[in-house]
Amino acid sequence: MLISLVIGTTVSTIKDPTLSGRKLLILRQTDVDGKAFGKPYVAVDTLDAGVGDLVLTAHGSSGRMTELTKNKPVDAVIMAVIDHLEVGGKVTFDK
Amino acid sequence: MLISLVIGTTVSTIKDPTLSGRKLLILRQTDVDGKAFGKPYVAVDTLDAGVGDLVLTAHGSSGRMTELTKNKPVDAVIMAVIDHLEVGGKVTFDK
Amino acid sequence: MLISLVIGTTVSTIKDPTLSGRKLLILRQTDVDGKAFGKPYVAVDTLDAGVGDLVLTAHGSSGRMTELTKNKPVDAVIMAVIDHLEVGGKVTFDK
Amino acid sequence: MLISLVIGTTVSTIKDPTLSGRKLLILRQTDVDGKAFGKPYVAVDTLDAGVGDLVLTAHGSSGRMTELTKNKPVDAVIMAVIDHLEVGGKVTFDK
Amino acid sequence: MLISLVIGTTVSTIKDPTLSGRKLLILRQTDVDGKAFGKPYVAVDTLDAGVGDLVLTAHGSSGRMTELTKNKPVDAVIMAVIDHLEVGGKVTFDK
């Protein structure tokens, strides 16, 4: 899983019919302190996450292992909202 | 999913028999403003997308989770055409 | 899928028994003009492609979605031989 | 599989219901001497590994091939704790 | 598949129970001349390959498509030992 920051939202009228009503958020991977790097990607939100939340995303076929994404043409899902991260005995991120 | 711009088309006479009639488009990944970067890749179009459209693509086995790509040897599919993207409260792309 | 150039051949006496008789070619990813970049990788040929052909390859589990690769330990397959590519209204590659 | 060092822990109250009670650790890939490089990622621990352990992680759908991760939305699992590594006749890592 | 050189061995006492007795080797990807580059990764050996052998590895779910790796939490397998490679009419590697 990747530690990622939710940075934005997408709107698509024309999409695969199985994705109707699914929320597709824009994210960027972060370091353990929640600082974003790299290029944006899009994941399905199943946990009512919002812009500014630090989350974990599962990719590939694992992105389809939730009730809302099963058998759908999506390859990334938010499966946890992070409360805090601890590295080397120090809290590096706290919600 | 990757935010990508449709930049071109492919023609192949010799291909896997299950792909007959499938439209294979050339894309490049973009940033949230629709500016392309990186190297071209090819995805199946299932939504009648065209050159110049900003779209979302699903990869790997998730690329086979549409009616048109099921059980076919393809690893990327266009599953949404983007209307607009919003990051940090600002519209970064509008069709 | 990746646009790739077939650059060479492999010979292996010791291999998984299910791969007996399968042709494993060496490829490099290319740009839309067929110019190769990056490091070599190996894919199964199912279309009688040859060295010098520009092809499309499907990766991961999608590489097993042809008659010849089903259930085999291979993660890339040539599933189309490219006739031509067109980008921005211009033919960038013609066989 | 990747050789990786466990560097930290995550806490998430809001997560996919199937992940209740699962331990999600933070790792970084290492070289054969156990020196970490690259960006952090998160994997499920199934072997009671702890911070400071050098481990192997399996990714993608293979991350779901353990008793604890089957059918869950996770894409990386710790499936071995490394005792030692040997390269070119020399021990490069010893627990 | 990746062309890779077997560079070392791993020992793990604590591992997923399904991996008992499986040989996990350390590899690095190579160019067509067998020269290694990039970072080490680990794959299951199913062909009695040894350190110094140039091999092909299949990744992801394809790494589980051998008798010895079926349904196991592994994401890379050695599925061929390379005898020789030929690029542009020249032998670039000969065992």
Side-chain angles (χ1 to χ4, degrees), chain D residues 15 18-24 44-45 68-69 72:
Chain D
K15 59 186 158 190
T18 65
L19 297 176
S20 174
R22 291 288 77 77
K23 196 165 54 155
L24 298 171
V44 178
D45 177 32
L68 289 177
T69 57
K72 291 184 169 43

Side-chain angles (χ1 to χ4, degrees), chain D residues 1-3 29-32 37 47 56-59 61-62 65-66 77 79-88, chain E residues 7-16 19 24 26 39-44 60-61 64 71-76:
Chain D
M1 279 70 69
L2 299 180
I3 305 169
Q29 190 178 350
T30 75
D31 213 325
V32 291
F37 64 86
L47 299 172
L56 294 177
T57 52
H59 297 256
S61 58
S62 299
M65 295 291 132
T66 71
V77 72
M79 29 60 79
V81 178
I82 295 173
D83 289 329
H84 76 254
L85 300 175
E86 194 170 321
V87 173
Chain E
I7 63 164
T9 56
T10 69
V11 176
S12 295
T13 311
I14 301 171
K15 57 187 158 190
D16 191 82
L19 297 177
L24 297 171
I26 310 175
K39 293 298 180 181
Y41 68 94
V42 172
V44 179
S61 58
R64 303 195 308 267
N71 297 324
K72 291 184 169 45
V74 295
D75 62 10

Side-chain angles (χ1 to χ4, degrees), chain C residues 15 24 75:
Chain C
K15 59 186 157 189
L24 297 171
D75 62 10

Side-chain angles (χ1 to χ4, degrees), chain B residues 7-19 24 26 39-44 51 60-61 64 71-76, chain C residues 1-3 29-32 37 46-47 56-59 61-62 65-67 77 79-88 95:
Chain B
I7 62 164
T9 56
T10 70
V11 176
S12 295
T13 310
I14 301 171
K15 58 186 159 191
D16 191 83
T18 65
L19 297 176
L24 297 171
I26 310 174
K39 292 298 180 180
Y41 68 94
V42 171
V44 179
V51 171
S61 58
R64 303 196 307 269
N71 298 322
K72 291 184 169 45
V74 295
D75 62 10
Chain C
M1 280 70 71
L2 299 179
I3 304 170
Q29 190 178 351
T30 75
D31 213 325
V32 292
F37 64 87
T46 65
L47 298 173
L56 294 177
T57 52
H59 297 257
S61 57
S62 300
M65 296 290 133
T66 71
E67 281 300 313
V77 71
M79 28 60 79
V81 178
I82 296 173
D83 289 328
H84 75 256
L85 300 175
E86 194 169 322
V87 174
K95 198 176 178 173

